Amino acid sequence: MTKLRVISRRELAKHASEDSLWVAYKGKVYDVTEFAPDHPGEPEFVLQWGGKDVTKVMADAHSHEHSDAAYDILADWVIGELEPSADGDGADADADRAIKPEDVDLNQDPGNLAALDAQLVDDLARQKKDLLDLSKPLVWQMLTSNFSKDFYLTQVHIPHHLPEPAYLFGNPILETLTRTPWYVVPIVWVPVVAYLAYEASKVYAPDMIASLFVAGLVMWSFFEYTFHRFLFHIELLLPDHPFALTFHFLCHGIHHHLPMDRMRLVLPPIFFAIIVQPPWFAFRAFLDFPTCAGLFAGGVAGYVIYDLTHYYLHHARVYTAYLRDLKKYHLAHHYKEYNAGYGITSKFWDYVFGTVLDYTSKPKKA
């Protein structure tokens, strides 16, 4: 392991801007410049602690208590060790007494590591057990993996952050097909909504079209919940096989592993075009085309609202109380408890089915 350089407190204090943002935590210094714009609490929260020691504030439940996932992400940005304080008190003293990573043989038996500082053990375990090498194409690694389902499910729900989108494929053409900018969703699907509404208008009056449209929105909201809970989070029924784990990873696992990947937050148009086919033909089996058109105009519009809301909750600065609450709620699904809080645009179905996530509770321990 490369020896970390020692960084003075004076140097740390110089890096307190959006262009260069460092923080100290338990005796180590982290460059969080690239991560700050994607911080779940928005960049302003990180910026106010730029150039300072965040050891206490990261554990402060009243300020901004962090989950275990936050510390895993933080570990990716370590750049040095903070010089010891003059009085040797507090977190710095603990860090000074801790065994340094460069002094540890990562190949020794884990049972012999019991004497190490607890935080160091966590860091070493994380370094040895990363799910994938994020610098290389991910799909081939998944297909040729030999880890168990339990290991995969534990590791894939540990969030990581990359400044640029990860690569799924080495082939540039295949890779391009996996990336979808947010604005593609309205460009592709709003015309479809307009077409379906137009077809319904050939038969129904405006009030009936509005009723079908609203019914379609409700239909989508239920589909949004069930799809997220019972397909994306199908962990209990997932076979313990590389192909099945790869399928899960491509459907949703990658989003939990890299939750701030801007290119994989909305569904590729071809994917939504495929999954909308079964419900369309199911409804067409007993409803005429104009009625289905009115319903699916609302359903597809609901999907557009869902995907744009999802992207917004991850990457935008929210200004209304409702969206701020939704943002905290959804990010808690990523960073605290992934087995609850399945609603994206609304908590309604979470209340109905008893899966409401209390984002004010203490983070779940691994």
Side-chain angles (χ1 to χ4, degrees):
M1 181 178 294
T2 303
K3 184 177 179 65
L4 297 174
R5 68 188 180 102
V6 177
I7 296 174
S8 70
R9 295 170 185 277
R10 179 175 297 180
E11 183 180 2
L12 170 67
K14 293 178 181 178
H15 298 269
S17 68
E18 292 182 354
D19 296 328
S20 183
L21 189 58
W22 295 4
V23 297
Y25 174 75
K26 288 192 173 180
K28 289 187 174 64
V29 178
Y30 302 85
D31 183 350
V32 295
T33 308
E34 294 180 335
F35 173 69
D38 291 330
H39 183 265
E42 301 191 356
E44 290 81 6
F45 187 87
V46 185
L47 190 59
Q48 68 177 308
W49 289 97
K52 301 175 183 177
D53 192 317
V54 298
T55 302
K56 292 183 179 179
V57 73
M58 286 192 70
D60 184 357
H62 297 290
S63 175
H64 189 68
E65 188 174 29
H66 290 74
S67 65
D68 291 343
Y71 299 101
D72 283 297
I73 292 176
L74 186 63
D76 292 333
W77 303 99
V78 64
I79 59 171
E81 295 182 354
L82 185 64
E83 67 172 357
S85 59
D87 54 14
D89 291 334
D92 295 324
D94 293 335
D96 294 339
R97 289 193 296 268
I99 299 175
K100 300 297 190 294
E102 61 268 20
D103 298 329
V104 179
D105 179 5
L106 289 178
N107 295 315
Q108 64 179 295
D109 185 88
N112 295 330
L113 301 179
L116 294 179
D117 173 81
Q119 182 62 41
L120 179 57
V121 172
D122 290 342
D123 290 345
L124 293 173
R126 188 193 64 79
Q127 292 169 22
K128 293 186 69 175
K129 295 182 179 179
D130 276 348
L131 180 69
L132 301 168
D133 183 345
L134 299 179
S135 66
K136 299 177 181 179
L138 304 181
V139 170
W140 183 248
Q141 294 183 66
M142 286 296 306
L143 288 172
T144 57
S145 65
N146 61 0
F147 43 68
S148 69
K149 169 185 169 180
D150 288 342
F151 175 81
Y152 165 77
L153 291 177
T154 298
Q155 295 299 312
V156 81
H157 290 104
I158 296 176
H160 290 258
H161 180 274
L162 294 177
E164 299 295 334
Y167 280 83
L168 288 181
F169 298 98
N171 184 291
I173 296 177
L174 288 177
E175 179 61 24
T176 299
L177 295 176
T178 71
R179 301 187 178 200
T180 309
W182 68 267
Y183 52 80
V184 169
V185 172
I187 288 175
V188 172
W189 295 110
V190 167
V192 174
V193 173
Y195 166 73
L196 292 172
Y198 170 72
E199 288 296 322
S201 71
K202 292 180 179 180
V203 175
Y204 294 116
D207 58 340
M208 184 60 181
I209 296 174
S211 297
L212 289 171
F213 191 90
V214 171
L217 287 173
V218 174
M219 178 178 69
W220 166 260
S221 72
F222 178 71
F223 185 70
E224 169 194 317
Y225 175 87
T226 55
F227 199 72
H228 188 187
R229 180 179 180 183
F230 297 112
L231 179 60
F232 287 171
H233 288 278
I234 196 174
E235 287 87 356
L236 290 178
L237 301 178
L238 191 66
D240 192 351
H241 189 281
F243 289 176
L245 301 183
T246 301
F247 174 78
H248 179 274
F249 184 75
L250 291 175
C251 283
H252 200 55
I254 188 173
H255 178 52
H256 273 265
H257 204 51
L258 299 168
M260 307 309 283
D261 189 329
R262 295 172 182 267
M263 289 294 134
R264 296 190 176 90
L265 264 172
V266 298
L267 292 177
I270 186 64
F271 187 34
F272 182 69
I274 291 172
I275 64 176
V276 79
Q277 296 304 312
W280 169 262
F281 285 108
F283 275 83
R284 282 290 286 122
F286 60 90
L287 293 176
D288 58 33
F289 179 78
T291 304
C292 282
L295 277 173
F296 276 75
V300 176
Y303 158 69
V304 173
I305 294 170
Y306 151 79
D307 242 352
L308 297 185
T309 300
H310 190 202
Y311 187 92
Y312 183 85
L313 296 180
H314 275 268
H315 289 290
R317 300 183 181 184
V318 295
Y319 297 102
T320 68
Y322 178 72
L323 288 175
R324 188 175 296 111
D325 180 66
L326 275 186
K327 182 182 179 88
K328 292 179 179 178
Y329 187 73
H330 180 60
L331 293 182
H333 171 74
H334 280 281
Y335 292 94
K336 289 188 177 182
E337 175 54 82
Y338 63 86
N339 284 316
Y342 300 105
I344 307 296
T345 57
S346 167
K347 303 178 188 177
F348 177 78
W349 297 109
D350 279 317
Y351 280 108
V352 171
F353 293 106
T355 55
V356 176
L357 173 57
D358 179 9
Y359 63 74
T360 62
S361 64
K362 284 183 67 64
K364 179 182 178 181
K365 295 296 182 182

